[in-house]
Amino acid sequence: MRVVAIAVFTCVLASCAIEPPKPWEKGNLAKPEMQFDYDRLDTKTQQHIYTSKEGATGGYGVGGGGCGCN
Amino acid sequence: MAVTERNLQLLAAALALPGVMPSAHAQSAPDKGIFELQYLSYRDWQPGRNRMSVDAPACYALIPLSDTWVVEGGMVYDAMSGASPLYFNVLSGASIGDYRTAGDLKVTKYMGDWAYSVGGFVSSEQDFLSRGGSLNLQFFSDDRNRTWLVGVAGTNDRINATNGVAPNSERNSWEFVVGVTQALTPNDIVQSNLTFYSGHGYYSDPYKPLDTRPSTRDTYAWLTRYNHYFVDADATLKIGYRLLFDSFGDTSNTFEASWAQALPWGFVVTPALRFYTQTSADFYMNPPFPSGFVEGQNYSADTRLASFGAITAGAMVSKTVWDGWNVSLRADYYRQDPDWQVFGSGSPGIQTFSARWFQVNLSKNF
Amino acid sequence: MRLFRQTFRAMAGEHELQLAHHDIAVARRAAAAAIADVKRIEAKYSRYLADSVTSRINAAAGRDAVAIDTETAALLRYAEQCFALSEGLFDITSGVLRRVWDFKADPPRLPTASELASVVQLVGWSRVEWADNAIRLPQAGMEIDFGGIGKEYAADRVATVCLEHGLRHGLVNLSGDVRAIGPQPDGSPWRVGIRHPRAQGAAIAGFDLAAGALATSGDYERYFDVAGTRYCHILNPATGMPVAHWQSVSVVSPLCVVAGSCATIAMLLEDKGAAFLDAQGVQWLGVAADGSLAGPAA
């Protein structure tokens, strides 16, 4: 039930576009700091550290490879 | 300015001209490649116990092969030493002096309004081998403000513990993600992903005595991230939240926030905070060794499955150097504490755990 | 933040980049990369250079098809769109008309009717055979010419190069085709003047530009006056005769290539130009033949 609510919330979030930028207004979105996972190596490393010391894994993208951590 | 339908025809044709607009490379094949080197130095410690340290060089490259084909991949070599933290000694702890080599490769093809990626990965240690592959599909909206992601991955893990416990055990899992990224305004972008993981096989820790975990594991994770660019400050606020339910019983909440501040001379300083809580696994039992333990029931005293909260405080400084080169230094301090579990009660009797890591990165766009 | 200025010559004109950044070395590098790209476009599309793509296509007129890459195909697609929206008046095969119009001749001479007829029959974009990977001009003597698009396209690419180098303040001026990279260092817009069509060195109006582009098409760039009538270089491809309704048209658009095409198309559409620009929803200023101002920005 909670999963359904989460899924619905995500869809609502996705469909409420506030004022989507025109193509010539995307300069700021192209900045590295504004992109998700611009530095993939950094994200992989940080998530690997947390995976090895905490119980939770995943949520950041599939296909990263496992390790003998938890 | 108000634009009519007819206006869009000329603009649309003009936007199809190459290079008239800078583009975030997420939605079309990038025209620049990236090469990156990284070095991580990690240490952890616990009152009265041994430290674990990891030194890990790693590299990554992204190479556009043509207008529509991109290949990317990386390798990491972890050199680990020291004892994994144990919260109580029943038998002498397994001392880890281990090496891990891992690599991954992904090929992406851009098809205009959508793209697909096929990838493979391997992670190899003395006692553990993990191999798998993934397939990802991205769908771009007409105005390129929305991207849908669907991905699936399958992994096979093979465990051969050096102490001979449960030889040649394995587990198979698959993972499925669906998500959306939406540009809300010229300075706001949000991403939300749902990830499902399901695995069967050997999940116990062979180095921990009597550790017996369920032979199936399912997790459901919901991750939402949001970036906002403050034009006047030339800074970006990045916040994220992940909720994860695990069939093992540990539910976790992760909150992350960072502030990337651009400074003169190409510097960017990013302080960051992470707050994490998890409830304990259903079969986790607090030290000391529980009375009434029945042979064969699920049990683990692994504190990674206990109930605790954890905070990371860190900062990164990066600078563009010369043409296309970027160097960054990162330092983080991490601490787990059962008292910080704010969504329930922390596991009693476990000690705080601390870690620190430094990371230096050097990258070049070409 | 210091303003870095660089002037350079390319495409038979004088151009200027004004860039601002905390680190002057970044502005220098961006300018060098941008100028290199302008020269690349010139080398690739100038009809004056024998080994340019344009010259190779024109040399094969009436014979074989010539292979083209994605950039050329995109420019042709854009030219096609301009042709359609201008009711066939913006025609990149109309460059041949310059063979009978010599604006440097002294005394100036109007072409005869038969001279005009001989070149007008070589004009016809709708007859050109082209696809994503090749183009063929069906008749010997036909030519294509990117002169009406190339400089504005280069201006937009210069802006992209600068943005990708991290510049957020700057102005590109390719001999009158202007594109802002961002506002002035203090945040205020650039004040861009519109050249007075009849008074050398004077401005007839001005625009504030913090982002986007301003381009002007006018009857004063190449022309001669005979018996009180101005004959300019903007020629109607169907009649071969110059247009006369406007002295100049200036258009503001997010992209310089669109601003330039709209201005030229408005000149070509003559008395239908105002309606065209209003339908495009752009900010524009026109100076009519009698010197009066027209348009929402007037």
Side-chain angles (χ1 to χ4, degrees):
Chain A
M1 186 54 219
R2 256 191 279 197
V3 175
V4 171
I6 289 166
V8 168
F9 181 26
T10 305
C11 293
V12 168
L13 198 74
S15 58
C16 77
I18 297 176
E19 200 194 287
K22 301 281 185 292
W24 57 90
E25 295 173 321
K26 296 205 191 176
N28 292 335
L29 296 173
K31 289 167 162 292
E33 301 81 49
M34 278 295 282
Q35 295 181 46
F36 299 108
D37 299 326
Y38 180 79
D39 189 337
R40 293 165 220 225
L41 195 50
D42 179 68
T43 303
K44 232 186 331 192
T45 306
Q46 301 304 306
Q47 288 314 310
H48 182 73
I49 292 172
Y50 293 121
T51 298
S52 66
K53 297 303 167 203
E54 294 168 349
T57 40
Y60 288 86
V62 300
C67 67
C69 317
N70 75 349
Chain B
M1 83 181 136
V3 291
T4 63
E5 272 308 308
R6 284 186 69 195
N7 188 28
L8 291 178
Q9 284 174 325
L10 205 55
L11 266 170
L15 289 166
L17 293 168
V20 293
M21 252 328 117
S23 58
H25 61 71
Q27 295 134 0
S28 57
D31 49 4
K32 287 201 186 63
I34 303 170
F35 180 67
E36 188 175 357
L37 287 172
Q38 176 182 285
Y39 194 85
L40 172 78
S41 168
Y42 166 97
R43 302 278 184 276
D44 68 34
W45 62 94
Q46 203 182 6
R49 294 286 169 230
N50 290 341
R51 301 169 179 231
M52 174 160 166
S53 69
V54 179
D55 289 288
C59 65
Y60 168 83
L62 182 147
I63 302 167
L65 298 173
S66 77
D67 278 355
T68 52
W69 285 100
V70 177
V71 66
E72 59 188 298
M75 288 195 63
V76 63
Y77 179 76
D78 288 350
M80 299 172 274
S81 64
S84 177
L86 288 171
Y87 293 85
F88 65 98
N89 270 331
V90 176
L91 300 173
S92 57
S95 186
I96 298 180
D98 207 353
Y99 302 95
R100 182 177 82 100
T101 311
D104 61 84
L105 193 70
K106 185 164 80 165
V107 176
T108 307
K109 165 85 168 154
Y110 289 88
M111 309 284 288
D113 288 337
W114 64 287
Y116 67 90
S117 307
V118 177
F121 48 89
V122 170
S123 176
S124 170
E125 301 168 59
Q126 190 185 0
D127 54 2
F128 185 90
L129 176 68
S130 173
R131 293 164 302 177
S134 67
L135 174 67
N136 279 294
L137 295 171
Q138 290 177 285
F139 300 97
F140 313 117
S141 65
D142 283 343
D143 60 5
R144 295 290 187 269
N145 282 328
R146 185 177 307 164
T147 303
W148 288 95
L149 169 73
V150 175
V152 64
T155 309
N156 170 271
D157 297 332
R158 194 170 294 272
I159 300 112
N160 261 310
T162 54
N163 62 3
V165 172
N168 233 351
S169 302
E170 68 170 341
R171 59 178 179 245
N172 291 303
S173 61
W174 65 276
E175 210 174 2
F176 175 69
V177 65
V178 61
V180 63
T181 306
Q182 171 80 47
L184 297 170
T185 75
N187 297 312
D188 292 89
I189 187 165
V190 67
Q191 179 182 87
S192 200
N193 293 347
L194 289 172
T195 308
F196 305 95
Y197 166 98
S198 183
H200 304 260
Y202 185 78
Y203 278 98
S204 311
D205 187 333
Y207 299 107
K208 296 190 164 57
L210 299 175
D211 189 294
T212 310
R213 302 188 195 181
S215 61
T216 64
R217 186 177 194 183
D218 299 313
T219 73
Y220 307 85
W222 176 41
L223 169 72
T224 302
R225 298 190 278 188
Y226 168 70
N227 295 346
H228 177 82
Y229 178 68
F230 290 91
V231 180
D232 295 329
D234 196 5
T236 304
L237 172 68
K238 302 165 71 107
I239 57 179
Y241 170 66
R242 178 189 63 175
L243 173 66
L244 194 149
F245 298 110
D246 190 338
S247 63
F248 278 7
D250 50 308
T251 298
S252 61
N253 292 277
T254 313
F255 302 89
E256 289 178 300
S258 64
W259 178 271
Q261 176 68 59
L263 296 174
W265 300 295
F267 280 101
V268 179
V269 171
T270 310
L273 268 178
R274 175 182 186 268
F275 179 55
Y276 173 84
T277 69
Q278 75 174 39
T279 62
S280 59
D282 293 335
F283 50 87
Y284 172 80
M285 297 194 189
N286 291 312
F289 193 84
S291 57
F293 171 77
V294 175
E295 181 80 33
Q297 78 178 64
N298 288 331
Y299 158 76
S300 178
D302 190 338
T303 46
R304 289 186 289 233
L305 296 175
S307 177
F308 58 81
I311 293 180
T312 313
M316 163 143 58
V317 176
S318 75
K319 181 170 179 1
T320 51
V321 185
W322 306 304
D323 191 10
W325 290 90
N326 189 290
V327 65
S328 73
L329 265 77
R330 172 180 193 143
D332 292 84
Y333 178 74
Y334 174 82
R335 198 174 144 102
Q336 277 179 7
D337 192 323
D339 292 337
W340 291 350
Q341 165 57 296
V342 297
F343 295 109
S345 55
S347 298
I350 63 171
Q351 292 179 296
T352 62
F353 167 83
S354 307
R356 69 102 179 113
W357 54 93
F358 298 126
Q359 186 178 296
V360 59
N361 283 62
L362 182 67
S363 70
K364 167 89 170 95
N365 287 340
F366 58 89
Chain C
M1 218 186 322
R2 293 161 56 193
L3 196 64
F4 168 74
R5 265 204 180 87
Q6 170 128 26
T7 57
F8 64 102
R9 257 198 87 80
M11 296 179 178
E14 291 285 337
H15 314 305
E16 182 187 53
L17 302 179
Q18 295 187 56
L19 308 172
H21 195 270
H22 300 295
D23 184 353
I24 206 86
V26 169
R28 252 189 248 283
R29 276 200 299 275
I35 292 170
D37 194 57
V38 175
K39 299 207 162 137
R40 178 195 71 85
I41 292 172
E42 179 174 25
K44 188 170 177 184
Y45 293 113
S46 168
R47 62 181 157 81
Y48 300 108
L49 297 169
D51 56 355
S52 71
V53 166
T54 307
S55 296
R56 279 191 276 121
I57 294 170
N58 294 343
R63 297 192 338 259
D64 321 303
V66 173
I68 58 175
D69 63 5
T70 48
E71 182 179 32
T72 307
L75 285 166
L76 292 174
R77 252 175 269 130
Y78 183 73
E80 171 85 53
Q81 200 55 246
C82 291
F83 180 82
L85 286 171
S86 64
E87 298 167 23
L89 295 175
F90 187 105
D91 188 324
I92 61 170
T93 63
S94 61
V96 294
L97 297 172
R98 91 185 91 75
R99 294 180 195 161
V100 301
W101 287 95
D102 184 356
F103 295 103
K104 297 199 187 105
D106 194 10
R109 180 190 162 277
L110 294 172
T112 65
S114 63
E115 279 173 341
L116 279 174
S118 71
V119 284
V120 167
Q121 54 103 12
L122 290 173
V123 176
W125 169 252
S126 48
R127 293 189 279 138
V128 173
E129 302 153 14
W130 68 284
D132 280 347
N133 55 0
I135 180 172
R136 177 176 178 270
L137 302 174
Q139 190 181 346
M142 284 184 82
E143 281 181 16
I144 59 162
D145 177 4
F146 290 103
I149 307 173
K151 191 148 63 81
E152 294 87 344
Y153 170 57
D156 287 323
R157 284 186 65 101
V158 165
T160 299
V161 166
C162 293
L163 285 164
E164 287 177 345
H165 273 76
L167 293 166
R168 294 288 174 265
H169 304 273
L171 193 71
V172 181
N173 181 0
L174 298 193
S175 53
D177 293 322
V178 177
R179 166 84 195 266
I181 291 157
Q184 296 196 53
D186 65 0
S188 59
W190 302 92
R191 187 101 192 108
V192 183
I194 306 229
R195 182 182 147 174
H196 193 299
R198 295 291 181 266
Q200 184 72 269
I204 195 166
F207 269 104
D208 284 341
L209 211 65
L214 173 76
T216 303
S217 198
D219 69 356
Y220 49 78
E221 296 162 49
R222 271 168 289 145
Y223 68 97
F224 54 67
D225 294 317
V226 173
T229 307
R230 171 149 305 197
Y231 298 85
C232 73
H233 76 290
I234 301 176
L235 305 165
N236 182 307
T239 64
M241 294 298 290
V243 295
H245 185 85
W246 301 100
Q247 291 184 11
S248 78
V249 174
S250 303
V251 175
V252 174
S253 170
L255 287 177
C256 195
V257 67
V258 173
S261 316
C262 282
T264 306
I265 294 171
M267 292 285 289
L268 287 162
L269 284 170
E270 299 199 67
D271 52 339
K272 292 192 271 186
F276 163 77
L277 290 171
D278 288 336
Q280 296 297 304
V282 292
Q283 274 280 53
W284 64 277
L285 179 90
V287 183
D290 62 358
S292 60
L293 299 179

mmCIF file of all heavy atoms in Angstrom, chain B residues 126-128 159-169 202 206-207:
data_model
loop_
_atom_site.group_PDB
_atom_site.id
_atom_site.type_symbol
_atom_site.label_atom_id
_atom_site.label_comp_id
_atom_site.label_asym_id
_atom_site.label_seq_id
_atom_site.Cartn_x
_atom_site.Cartn_y
_atom_site.Cartn_z
ATOM 1 N N GLN B 126 39.151 -12.148 -3.059
ATOM 2 C CA GLN B 126 39.658 -13.484 -2.792
ATOM 3 C C GLN B 126 38.516 -14.465 -2.532
ATOM 4 O O GLN B 126 38.553 -15.611 -2.949
ATOM 5 C CB GLN B 126 40.579 -13.426 -1.576
ATOM 6 C CG GLN B 126 41.356 -14.695 -1.344
ATOM 7 C CD GLN B 126 42.162 -14.626 -0.068
ATOM 8 O OE1 GLN B 126 42.134 -13.627 0.646
ATOM 9 N NE2 GLN B 126 42.882 -15.687 0.215
ATOM 10 N N ASP B 127 37.491 -14.014 -1.813
ATOM 11 C CA ASP B 127 36.443 -14.928 -1.403
ATOM 12 C C ASP B 127 35.084 -14.606 -2.016
ATOM 13 O O ASP B 127 34.077 -15.187 -1.656
ATOM 14 C CB ASP B 127 36.313 -14.914 0.125
ATOM 15 C CG ASP B 127 36.105 -13.494 0.651
ATOM 16 O OD1 ASP B 127 36.021 -12.554 -0.171
ATOM 17 O OD2 ASP B 127 36.027 -13.330 1.880
ATOM 18 N N PHE B 128 35.055 -13.662 -2.950
ATOM 19 C CA PHE B 128 33.764 -13.211 -3.439
ATOM 20 C C PHE B 128 33.876 -12.792 -4.896
ATOM 21 O O PHE B 128 34.775 -12.055 -5.272
ATOM 22 C CB PHE B 128 33.308 -12.023 -2.570
ATOM 23 C CG PHE B 128 31.938 -11.514 -2.883
ATOM 24 C CD1 PHE B 128 30.822 -12.030 -2.232
ATOM 25 C CD2 PHE B 128 31.748 -10.508 -3.821
ATOM 26 C CE1 PHE B 128 29.547 -11.554 -2.517
ATOM 27 C CE2 PHE B 128 30.481 -10.021 -4.113
ATOM 28 C CZ PHE B 128 29.379 -10.549 -3.459
ATOM 29 N N ILE B 159 30.227 -16.933 -3.334
ATOM 30 C CA ILE B 159 30.999 -16.735 -2.101
ATOM 31 C C ILE B 159 31.787 -18.002 -1.779
ATOM 32 O O ILE B 159 31.234 -19.097 -1.760
ATOM 33 C CB ILE B 159 30.062 -16.404 -0.913
ATOM 34 C CG1 ILE B 159 29.283 -15.129 -1.204
ATOM 35 C CG2 ILE B 159 30.864 -16.237 0.381
ATOM 36 C CD1 ILE B 159 27.817 -15.340 -1.404
ATOM 37 N N ASN B 160 33.072 -17.846 -1.521
ATOM 38 C CA ASN B 160 33.924 -18.952 -1.095
ATOM 39 C C ASN B 160 34.769 -18.464 0.071
ATOM 40 O O ASN B 160 35.889 -18.004 -0.108
ATOM 41 C CB ASN B 160 34.852 -19.372 -2.246
ATOM 42 C CG ASN B 160 34.327 -20.577 -2.963
ATOM 43 O OD1 ASN B 160 33.987 -21.585 -2.345
ATOM 44 N ND2 ASN B 160 34.224 -20.473 -4.273
ATOM 45 N N ALA B 161 34.184 -18.554 1.270
ATOM 46 C CA ALA B 161 34.850 -17.979 2.434
ATOM 47 C C ALA B 161 36.173 -18.679 2.714
ATOM 48 O O ALA B 161 36.291 -19.897 2.556
ATOM 49 C CB ALA B 161 33.932 -18.087 3.660
ATOM 50 N N THR B 162 37.159 -17.887 3.133
ATOM 51 C CA THR B 162 38.479 -18.457 3.399
ATOM 52 C C THR B 162 38.481 -19.358 4.625
ATOM 53 O O THR B 162 39.390 -20.160 4.809
ATOM 54 C CB THR B 162 39.519 -17.338 3.619
ATOM 55 O OG1 THR B 162 39.034 -16.461 4.636
ATOM 56 C CG2 THR B 162 39.748 -16.557 2.339
ATOM 57 N N ASN B 163 37.453 -19.234 5.476
ATOM 58 C CA ASN B 163 37.414 -20.126 6.640
ATOM 59 C C ASN B 163 36.633 -21.400 6.350
ATOM 60 O O ASN B 163 36.347 -22.180 7.249
ATOM 61 C CB ASN B 163 36.817 -19.384 7.853
ATOM 62 C CG ASN B 163 35.376 -18.944 7.582
ATOM 63 O OD1 ASN B 163 34.804 -19.232 6.523
ATOM 64 N ND2 ASN B 163 34.794 -18.254 8.539
ATOM 65 N N GLY B 164 36.269 -21.612 5.099
ATOM 66 C CA GLY B 164 35.639 -22.873 4.731
ATOM 67 C C GLY B 164 34.164 -22.990 5.061
ATOM 68 O O GLY B 164 33.538 -24.008 4.740
ATOM 69 N N VAL B 165 33.597 -21.965 5.660
ATOM 70 C CA VAL B 165 32.164 -22.016 5.981
ATOM 71 C C VAL B 165 31.366 -21.824 4.703
ATOM 72 O O VAL B 165 31.639 -20.931 3.908
ATOM 73 C CB VAL B 165 31.803 -20.905 6.995
ATOM 74 C CG1 VAL B 165 30.295 -20.820 7.171
ATOM 75 C CG2 VAL B 165 32.503 -21.148 8.318
ATOM 76 N N ALA B 166 30.374 -22.696 4.492
ATOM 77 C CA ALA B 166 29.474 -22.604 3.328
ATOM 78 C C ALA B 166 30.244 -22.428 2.027
ATOM 79 O O ALA B 166 30.149 -21.405 1.365
ATOM 80 C CB ALA B 166 28.496 -21.438 3.514
ATOM 81 N N PRO B 167 31.034 -23.435 1.644
ATOM 82 C CA PRO B 167 31.834 -23.286 0.430
ATOM 83 C C PRO B 167 30.959 -23.176 -0.803
ATOM 84 O O PRO B 167 29.890 -23.768 -0.871
ATOM 85 C CB PRO B 167 32.677 -24.564 0.399
ATOM 86 C CG PRO B 167 31.903 -25.549 1.199
ATOM 87 C CD PRO B 167 31.148 -24.768 2.239
ATOM 88 N N ASN B 168 31.428 -22.445 -1.777
ATOM 89 C CA ASN B 168 30.770 -22.344 -3.077
ATOM 90 C C ASN B 168 29.291 -21.981 -2.983
ATOM 91 O O ASN B 168 28.453 -22.588 -3.648
ATOM 92 C CB ASN B 168 30.916 -23.672 -3.832
ATOM 93 C CG ASN B 168 31.485 -23.427 -5.204
ATOM 94 O OD1 ASN B 168 31.604 -22.295 -5.646
ATOM 95 N ND2 ASN B 168 31.848 -24.504 -5.866
ATOM 96 N N SER B 169 28.999 -21.020 -2.138
ATOM 97 C CA SER B 169 27.605 -20.567 -2.057
ATOM 98 C C SER B 169 27.394 -19.477 -3.083
ATOM 99 O O SER B 169 28.324 -18.790 -3.489
ATOM 100 C CB SER B 169 27.320 -20.007 -0.671
ATOM 101 O OG SER B 169 27.588 -20.978 0.299
ATOM 102 N N TYR B 202 22.393 -17.320 -0.931
ATOM 103 C CA TYR B 202 23.130 -17.243 0.336
ATOM 104 C C TYR B 202 23.387 -15.790 0.711
ATOM 105 O O TYR B 202 24.102 -15.077 0.010
ATOM 106 C CB TYR B 202 24.453 -17.992 0.156
ATOM 107 C CG TYR B 202 25.277 -18.097 1.403
ATOM 108 C CD1 TYR B 202 24.957 -19.023 2.395
ATOM 109 C CD2 TYR B 202 26.382 -17.273 1.591
ATOM 110 C CE1 TYR B 202 25.717 -19.118 3.543
ATOM 111 C CE2 TYR B 202 27.148 -17.361 2.732
ATOM 112 C CZ TYR B 202 26.811 -18.290 3.714
ATOM 113 O OH TYR B 202 27.563 -18.380 4.848
ATOM 114 N N PRO B 206 29.633 -15.549 6.313
ATOM 115 C CA PRO B 206 30.310 -16.774 6.754
ATOM 116 C C PRO B 206 31.365 -16.529 7.833
ATOM 117 O O PRO B 206 31.767 -17.454 8.515
ATOM 118 C CB PRO B 206 30.960 -17.305 5.465
ATOM 119 C CG PRO B 206 31.129 -16.105 4.601
ATOM 120 C CD PRO B 206 29.994 -15.193 4.924
ATOM 121 N N TYR B 207 31.792 -15.300 7.987
ATOM 122 C CA TYR B 207 32.831 -15.002 8.977
ATOM 123 C C TYR B 207 32.252 -14.716 10.351
ATOM 124 O O TYR B 207 32.992 -14.558 11.310
ATOM 125 C CB TYR B 207 33.682 -13.809 8.523
ATOM 126 C CG TYR B 207 34.392 -14.076 7.230
ATOM 127 C CD1 TYR B 207 33.978 -13.475 6.053
ATOM 128 C CD2 TYR B 207 35.464 -14.971 7.180
ATOM 129 C CE1 TYR B 207 34.609 -13.737 4.865
ATOM 130 C CE2 TYR B 207 36.102 -15.241 5.983
ATOM 131 C CZ TYR B 207 35.668 -14.625 4.823
ATOM 132 O OH TYR B 207 36.293 -14.895 3.651
#
